[in-house]
Amino acid sequence: MRKANLYRYQLPIQTGVVLRKKKLHERAGLVVFLQEQEQVGWGEIAPLPTFSEESLSQAESQAKNWLKAWQNGEENSLDALFPSVAFGLSCALAELSGELGKQGNYQSATLCYGDLTKFTPINSVGKLKIGVMPEKEGEQANWLLSTFPTLQFRLDANRQWSLPQAVKFAEKIANANKPRIQFIEEPCHSPELSRQFAQQTGIVIAWDETVREPNFVVKKEQNLTAIIIKPTLTGSLPKCVKLIEQAHSLGLKAVISSSLESSLGLTQLARIAYQYTPNSLPGLDTLNLMQHQLLRAWQGSSLPLVELENEFVREVVL
């Protein structure tokens, strides 16, 4: 006997969260519950505004159709579903089958945002969003690297720069500090320009958006050190695991990264990171942008926990 439920949540977030120049005032998504006999599984479907190809209403419609079919005993493929839907459902199925382990990696690269003078790295790895003002951001990154001599840095430009702009950024980084930049994610408008940037500056790069392009295949390249996997934007857990295995087989790092999921999704990403990328620090330091947790608590967080019976959550009729 199979049972499925779907819930929609809307959680307020901290002011000032900007995604591609658009302010985000709340985080909305779906929670999936599956039950078969005594086994249960949970998953989160949360398209990221301005990044996901699908809207929340499209994801909800697709999820409802899949869940109704699953309740009737059908084993429909996840491959044709939107990435966020495929990932959330695959996590619920992985919990249901016991495929997803219980232990998680709750360490994360420390996201640096807001007032840089207040940045104190909890771990030895920090992350800085860049891509607006190359020279100023280069000075900021260099200041942080000089201020914290043991800090390793990950930078993310989201393909915002031309090659000359990216080079201007790099020129502000002292040569002594460059080796402590683990990578810059997609510094330029295209992968080819990012390759040229790495060749010219000696700063290694990582693929992020490129990983989600159609027919992407992991390849070993000069100056490429990692691929960033954001499962909500990438697709099902099996698809993500395949990418991880391809990267590892070529000696590249695979980094699990969040897409502003709630604590439910974040804890599952932590478990995925522990299970499949044990030697790579994930990028999951986004819970501080939230004002609440959802269903499952993140290790060490004091934010209030929202259960299903709450003003922020309502059940969706299948």
Side-chain angles (χ1 to χ4, degrees):
M1 183 70 178
R2 288 179 170 180
K3 178 184 176 183
N5 294 94
L6 188 65
Y7 304 88
R8 188 165 184 162
Y9 73 80
Q10 291 177 280
L11 298 174
I13 62 175
Q14 300 288 352
T15 57
V17 178
V18 179
L19 298 177
R20 289 182 174 168
K21 301 180 182 179
K22 182 179 179 181
K23 275 198 171 183
L24 196 65
H25 300 286
E26 66 177 16
R27 190 67 173 104
L30 302 164
V31 173
V32 175
F33 172 78
L34 302 179
Q35 182 172 2
E36 187 168 16
Q37 307 305 330
E38 300 301 316
Q39 304 301 314
V40 300
W42 294 87
E44 178 175 349
I45 298 170
L48 185 62
T50 75
F51 282 85
S52 291
E53 61 184 85
E54 68 276 17
S55 67
L56 183 56
S57 59
Q58 288 174 319
E60 181 178 308
S61 176
Q62 198 175 72
K64 286 167 67 174
N65 291 334
W66 190 95
L67 290 169
K68 284 186 282 190
W70 183 82
Q71 284 188 116
N72 292 328
E74 298 178 29
E75 301 291 343
N76 291 337
S77 171
L78 301 176
D79 295 340
L81 301 179
F82 293 124
S84 65
V85 180
F87 177 61
L89 292 173
S90 67
C91 281
L93 289 169
E95 286 198 351
L96 190 74
S97 65
E99 177 186 345
L100 185 57
K102 302 289 186 184
Q103 196 162 349
N105 182 355
Y106 293 93
Q107 302 299 313
S108 178
T110 306
L111 183 61
C112 178
Y113 53 89
D115 186 351
L116 298 188
T117 62
K118 297 180 180 178
F119 176 69
T120 53
I122 300 171
N123 304 305
S124 59
V125 180
K127 180 171 182 178
L128 183 64
K129 290 283 188 178
I130 56 176
V132 182
M133 295 176 286
E135 292 178 87
K136 180 180 179 181
E137 289 169 338
E139 291 170 357
Q140 290 174 336
N142 190 63
W143 178 81
L144 286 167
L145 287 164
S146 299
T147 302
F148 302 103
T150 62
L151 178 66
Q152 300 279 316
F153 235 151
R154 297 173 178 178
L155 305 168
D156 185 4
N158 288 125
R159 291 185 172 180
Q160 293 299 300
W161 286 332
S162 65
L163 179 58
Q165 287 175 316
V167 170
K168 283 183 179 179
F169 169 87
E171 288 172 347
K172 297 297 181 179
I173 307 295
N175 287 333
N177 289 336
K178 286 181 180 178
R180 288 193 285 128
I181 297 177
Q182 289 190 349
F183 50 74
I184 297 184
E185 300 174 28
E186 311 261 1
C188 300
H189 297 321
S190 70
E192 182 53 41
L193 290 175
S194 291
R195 293 183 181 102
Q196 292 179 38
F197 163 83
Q199 184 69 32
Q200 289 185 32
T201 65
I203 299 176
V204 293
I205 57 175
W207 294 145
D208 179 4
E209 288 87 351
T210 298
V211 175
R212 302 189 293 276
E213 290 183 343
N215 304 316
F216 170 77
V217 177
V218 185
K219 296 179 181 178
K220 190 174 181 63
E221 301 185 44
Q222 187 179 12
N223 300 315
L224 177 69
T225 190
I227 64 169
I228 311 302
I229 300 174
K230 296 176 178 174
T232 287
L233 303 178
T234 302
S236 68
L237 180 56
K239 181 177 181 179
C240 294
V241 171
K242 184 177 180 180
L243 288 168
I244 292 168
E245 291 172 345
Q246 289 174 349
H248 287 172
S249 71
L250 297 172
L252 297 173
K253 286 184 178 181
V255 178
I256 299 296
S257 185
S258 70
S259 302
L260 283 181
E261 294 86 357
S262 75
S263 62
L264 170 62
L266 282 176
T267 56
Q268 290 183 320
L269 290 173
R271 291 158 64 191
I272 292 167
Y274 181 88
Q275 187 165 337
Y276 296 105
T277 61
N279 298 317
S280 180
L281 192 69
L284 307 179
D285 188 27
T286 55
L287 189 60
N288 287 334
L289 301 177
M290 305 287 186
Q291 296 182 23
H292 299 82
Q293 302 189 78
L294 181 65
L295 294 181
R296 289 179 181 164
W298 180 265
Q299 194 175 89
S301 176
S302 60
L303 289 174
L305 186 66
V306 170
E307 301 288 354
L308 293 180
E309 300 298 325
N310 190 283
E311 61 180 310
F312 298 119
V313 184
R314 65 173 178 83
E315 186 168 1
V316 176
V317 178
L318 296 182

